[in-house]
Amino acid sequence: MTEFVRASRLYDAQAGERVEWDWSKMQPLAVSQQRVERAVETVEMGGGKQ
């Protein structure tokens, strides 16, 4: 299934630049990166499932 992404979500008009997009998660790349960093932090602190 193909999802539609509005062009306005791919471009930050105020900053005048495009938004890096994670097409696999259909969200801004910054959001995906934050989630990965939090997950790694949790595992490193011993809070991950084993």
Side-chain angles (χ1 to χ4, degrees):
M1 177 193 324
T2 302
E3 294 186 40
F4 178 79
V5 176
R6 291 193 173 280
S8 61
R9 295 191 66 195
L10 301 175
Y11 188 78
D12 183 344
Q14 288 182 331
E17 56 191 35
R18 71 184 187 99
V19 174
E20 295 291 327
W21 194 258
D22 180 352
W23 291 100
S24 64
K25 301 285 187 190
M26 299 302 287
Q27 63 190 9
L29 189 59
V31 173
S32 294
Q33 184 64 31
Q34 288 172 348
R35 289 181 178 172
V36 168
E37 288 174 5
R38 281 194 301 254
V40 168
E41 213 173 82
T42 299
V43 169
E44 287 177 346
M45 292 165 59
K49 295 179 182 178
Q50 294 187 18

